[in-house]
Amino acid sequence: MAPQASEQMADETKVRVALGDRSYDIVIGRSVLGSLGARFAAQFPGARAVFITDRTVAGLHLAAAEESLSAHGIEHQVLVMEPGEKTKSYDGLIKACDGVLDTRLERGDLVIALGGGVIGDLAGFVAGVVRRGMRFVQVPTTLLSQVDSSVGGKTGINTAHGKNLLGLFNQPHLVLADTAVLDTLSPREFRAGYAEVAKYGLINQPDFFEWLERNWQGIFAGGPEREEAVARSCQAKADVVAADEKEADQRALLNLGHTFGHALEGMAEYDAERLVHGEGVAIGMVLAHEFSARLGLCDPAVTDRVVAHLQAVGLPTHIGAIPGQLPKVDLLMDFIAQDKKVSRGNLTFILTRGLGQSFVEKGVDPVQLRAFLEEKLA
Amino acid sequence: MAPQASEQMADETKVRVALGDRSYDIVIGRSVLGSLGARFAAQFPGARAVFITDRTVAGLHLAAAEESLSAHGIEHQVLVMEPGEKTKSYDGLIKACDGVLDTRLERGDLVIALGGGVIGDLAGFVAGVVRRGMRFVQVPTTLLSQVDSSVGGKTGINTAHGKNLLGLFNQPHLVLADTAVLDTLSPREFRAGYAEVAKYGLINQPDFFEWLERNWQGIFAGGPEREEAVARSCQAKADVVAADEKEADQRALLNLGHTFGHALEGMAEYDAERLVHGEGVAIGMVLAHEFSARLGLCDPAVTDRVVAHLQAVGLPTHIGAIPGQLPKVDLLMDFIAQDKKVSRGNLTFILTRGLGQSFVEKGVDPVQLRAFLEEKLA
């Protein structure tokens, strides 16, 4: 069949995630979704596919994705999950695994994750375990998943014990990040993803953070700055992941704001009405800077600058901004202790010495942390 | 504390599974279980452990295993599952994952699988996904698991769609195969494991098969032939796995008798009263030889010799030996089609050109296969 007009990509950026024989490309650009079929046919000749998506995303983007596969004669089926974090659960896992097995696809066929972080994390897990591993493609449809969860191969579900406590490292074979689909996000969802973009600046790229301070309006408005922000974020994450895939050491930097953030999500019972992941990360990053300042590691003026930028884009920057009662310190400490970033009772946090000067601190004193949190919750 | 007397191992054999940075040792010998604590302390200093075992095995061998850890001051907890294939299920997976998370063990700690194939397959899966991967040790307590499932890293559970359809490749860090614990197996269970031992001869080691014909009594009686048989089997499997870990090609040889066998297990509804895995493999190996002979690939006299040996040890060698009604051909064909060893509608079987001359045949004609099965079921 004739290629679709939308396959003629003018502006796209490729970021290579270099992981030996598990290397893959992230293709970033406006409307790259239309090229899914052509790329799939070229990279996986003869293979079939099953989409895992959610009801919301299916309503918005599934038709375009299916058309693109059909135009290249690629057999495919669709598995539609409920939207929301609750899908990253034992129930969601079982439903998705059974659904993929129902399709009778084989090991050489592919799972295509079409959706945000929940769908990507779940589908990557499912692809990793059905028939002991099928290949998979990520088509992330939120800013958060484009710059974070679709890069690096972390997959998983939540359990009653906490977030992402079950899963595996499973690298996709291709990631297609269409920045035009982000136009369909709510402002709140877009902002939440932006927190992860800002994070890359705060980890170790002060120049990127400064660029964001100047260019965030273009990113939100869908200008070319958006592609650049996604590409720079993916590159930043790809560099870290390539150096330390399984988080033996430096990959932990990507958790800046996350240990606090996960605890806040936990205390908000993963209720997206109250707090979404990116908001938790935004507050968590501010807390990481404040805690660093309190430990005498970082100039308090840096915190002010971080707060100012996050506030400018409309992100929450303090625990009190979360609707509902303030959490008890004990509850937060308990969530922090259960976080995966704990080793031998020592708490590991990402702290910072200045703007874009984060580092992994494996010996955080629980007493100092508790005192800090008590003050924040007073 | 002073080392236990049982830690002074006189006769043990080590088989190295060479898989780069995932290489590990299989330690084989009478009473090596008593050395678990010493080995654990040496290989995983400071780590804690959780045993995953089943009620039956716990009653027989858990005390010895726990004592060995305690003697070296190793903190450990115990998770006891129901015995039987039904534990390799979604329910079993959830119970075991939650149980391991309940222990609050960390990523650097270990899961110890103490049991047969069911426990090993489940615990390996659980270890692979809890906190995105904990380390694990296999202490296989059946002949089947000592020579098969504890070597090579295949883990998984069954679903309504079939056996082992969910899982992952996850290599243990140490395997301890104590041949003395096999004394507690029922004759039927021991025989079932022996089918896999014979399989290694039939794959590509005619001399080993001949050795088995001469020495099987010693193996069953617990003489030194048993260690030798386990070690040669582990070595045979380790060689294949090292060459092709993820079953791209030659690892499929290990499936000799298994596509038929899995289908028979499926039609017997995985009811161990009617058929256990090794018995399915025994019948399946005979079918593979018969089918090879029917295709003109193999001298029928080879089948006779295989049947004679399997019968000598007391294994079933034909479908009619399975209690209950004979299966319908359609049902068997359906199970075979759903087997993981299917690619693009072609059936892959392990066939043979003679004693110990097996090969992977990827283009088996379903029409010929159906005709063959119809004849066997007539």
Side-chain angles (χ1 to χ4, degrees), chain B residues 236-317:
Chain B
K237 181 154 184 184
D239 289 346
V240 173
V241 168
D244 177 22
E245 183 182 3
K246 300 247 173 121
E247 196 166 326
D249 186 27
Q250 289 304 298
R251 180 164 179 164
L253 285 173
L254 299 173
N255 296 323
L256 174 63
H258 279 62
T259 302
F260 285 121
H262 283 161
L264 295 172
E265 285 182 89
M267 76 88 193
E269 294 170 315
Y270 307 110
D271 177 354
E273 299 287 315
R274 294 177 65 195
L275 190 75
V276 294
H277 176 69
E279 292 167 344
V281 170
I283 301 171
M285 290 194 297
V286 174
L287 288 169
H289 280 77
E290 288 177 328
F291 188 42
S292 300
R294 194 191 157 94
L295 295 172
L297 294 165
C298 175
D299 183 345
V302 174
T303 308
D304 296 342
R305 186 166 169 187
V306 172
V307 168
H309 181 57
L310 297 178
Q311 282 183 340
V313 308
L315 279 163
T317 56

Side-chain angles (χ1 to χ4, degrees), chain B residues 189-207:
Chain B
E189 240 181 323
F190 194 92
R191 280 197 299 267
Y194 185 84
E196 298 277 357
V197 175
K199 186 188 74 174
Y200 295 110
L202 295 175
I203 289 174
N204 58 8
Q205 300 191 43
D207 60 326

Side-chain angles (χ1 to χ4, degrees), chain A residues 24-27 32-33 36 40 44 51-52 110-125 127 135-141 145-146 148-156 170-178:
Chain A
Y24 59 96
D25 286 328
I26 305 168
V27 182
V32 290
L33 179 57
L36 175 63
F40 190 102
F44 316 109
F51 285 101
I52 299 182
L110 283 100
V111 170
I112 304 178
L114 177 70
V118 167
I119 289 298
D121 286 1
L122 176 72
F125 191 177
R135 297 180 292 182
F136 80 112
V137 169
Q138 296 260 26
V139 184
T141 59
S145 56
Q146 290 189 355
D148 181 25
S149 50
S150 70
V151 188
K154 280 193 180 180
T155 72
N170 189 22
Q171 303 296 341
H173 287 69
L174 172 67
V175 179
L176 226 55
D178 185 338

Side-chain angles (χ1 to χ4, degrees), chain B residues 224-238:
Chain B
E225 298 89 347
R226 185 184 286 174
E227 281 73 66
E228 184 167 350
V230 171
R232 286 182 74 163
S233 297
C234 288
Q235 187 67 58
K237 181 154 184 184

Side-chain angles (χ1 to χ4, degrees), chain B residues 92-106:
Chain B
L93 179 70
I94 292 170
K95 189 187 161 195
C97 287
D98 280 343
V100 174
L101 287 169
D102 282 341
T103 65
R104 300 220 158 192
L105 291 193
E106 297 162 7

Side-chain angles (χ1 to χ4, degrees), chain A residues 102 106 131 161 165 167 344, chain B residues 102 106 131 161 165 344:
Chain A
D102 282 340
E106 297 162 4
R131 296 171 193 278
H161 294 84
L165 285 177
R344 309 264 150 262
Chain B
D102 282 341
E106 297 162 7
R131 298 173 191 273
H161 294 84
L165 285 176
R344 311 263 148 263

Side-chain angles (χ1 to χ4, degrees), chain B residues 48-78:
Chain B
R48 295 168 295 174
V50 54
F51 285 101
I52 299 182
T53 186
D54 70 35
R55 205 163 13 84
T56 308
V57 174
L60 294 164
H61 309 297
L62 181 60
E66 285 202 273
E67 268 166 40
S68 182
L69 289 196
S70 295
H72 289 268
I74 298 159
E75 255 187 76
H76 59 274
Q77 300 182 57
V78 177

